[in-house]
Amino acid sequence: MTTVEKPGSAARAVEQLRSSMINGELAPGTRLSESSLTGPLGVSRNTLREAFSTLVEEGLLVRRPHRGVFVATLSSAQIADIYRVRVLLECSALEQAPTDPPRAAGMRAAVDEARRGVAAGDWRAVGTANMHFHEQIVALAGSPRLDGWMRQLTAELRLAFAAAPNIEALHRPFVAMNDEIATTYEDGQAREAAALLRDYLLTSERVVLGHLP
């Protein structure tokens, strides 16, 4: 049966695959099979290949001749570069965010999401909540373009997290840190919250790089 696709199907496939990476459902090194993905994504093989090409350009997938398409494995240099961009992007968004009143609902929801994950012992869910927290920080800037860039960064970052041998040890300390950052911003102290975030990101970078083989 021929798949009937709507306009924008490739873009939706890209977003669904990117979301699977952010949620920790696609690990680095995973081979992506066209035959197993066209049905769940509701796209043709040609459209899926178009989506793959976009994600290859973003660095989230790699194409290996005669072998297929695989989820990327990041190097230490790539991870360090991601963190440089995150410091510029997230800290600027938070420092310049409105404080009258603060627009903290998204950040607070992500903190609560992480705490539910902790209570359930679901550390992959905690990692996903952490990604949502940082996306909500950038959302304070009110820029769809920046939101799109952040989605790509969080997908790449989740691939870096996959190298950690103990995901609880990786994610647990940052739940309280996210709460502190959100609370400081809720108190109208955007600049102080941004300073906390900068220290947080530097600590996170050291932790993630320390888990690399």
Side-chain angles (χ1 to χ4, degrees):
M1 180 181 296
T2 302
T3 300
V4 178
E5 300 181 48
K6 297 178 181 179
S9 294
R12 286 193 297 275
V14 166
E15 184 56 29
Q16 285 177 269
L17 289 169
R18 192 186 289 121
S19 293
S20 293
M21 295 178 201
I22 292 171
N23 295 336
E25 296 164 3
L26 289 175
T30 301
R31 183 178 183 277
L32 300 186
S33 165
E34 291 181 8
S35 60
S36 65
L37 287 172
T38 52
L41 295 177
V43 296
S44 67
R45 283 180 180 253
N46 285 340
T47 299
L48 183 60
R49 288 167 188 161
E50 183 181 344
F52 282 172
S53 294
T54 297
L55 292 168
V56 167
E57 291 176 5
E58 292 182 0
L60 294 173
L61 299 179
V62 293
R63 199 183 305 275
R64 297 175 182 165
H66 312 298
R67 295 184 61 195
V69 175
F70 295 78
V71 178
T73 299
L74 302 186
S75 67
S76 58
Q78 288 173 309
I79 293 170
D81 188 48
I82 289 169
Y83 273 94
R84 280 194 292 270
V85 175
R86 290 185 70 194
V87 168
L88 291 171
L89 184 58
E90 294 186 46
C91 293
S92 295
L94 187 53
E95 185 170 8
Q96 298 174 29
T99 56
D100 52 345
R103 300 174 184 170
M107 295 166 64
R108 180 54 59 191
V111 170
D112 293 341
E113 178 188 353
R115 294 204 179 281
R116 289 193 296 272
V118 171
D122 186 345
W123 295 101
R124 192 173 81 171
V126 175
T128 299
N130 184 53
M131 299 293 94
H132 293 164
F133 179 80
H134 292 282
E135 289 174 352
Q136 288 302 315
I137 287 175
V138 174
L140 294 170
S143 167
R145 188 181 299 273
L146 292 181
D147 291 342
W149 289 348
M150 190 60 188
R151 287 284 287 174
Q152 180 181 340
L153 286 174
T154 50
E156 291 184 87
L157 193 62
R158 193 58 182 262
L159 299 181
F161 287 171
N166 185 334
I167 61 172
E168 177 179 352
L170 176 66
H171 293 307
R172 182 183 284 276
F174 296 104
V175 176
M177 293 182 190
N178 288 348
D179 192 359
E180 182 181 13
I181 291 168
T183 299
T184 302
Y185 173 61
E186 287 168 334
D187 289 341
Q189 303 177 69
R191 181 171 296 180
E192 291 80 357
L196 289 172
L197 176 60
R198 185 180 302 275
D199 291 341
Y200 169 119
L201 291 173
L202 293 175
T203 299
S204 178
E205 179 182 6
R206 288 195 296 270
V207 171
V208 173
L209 290 175
H211 283 303
L212 292 181

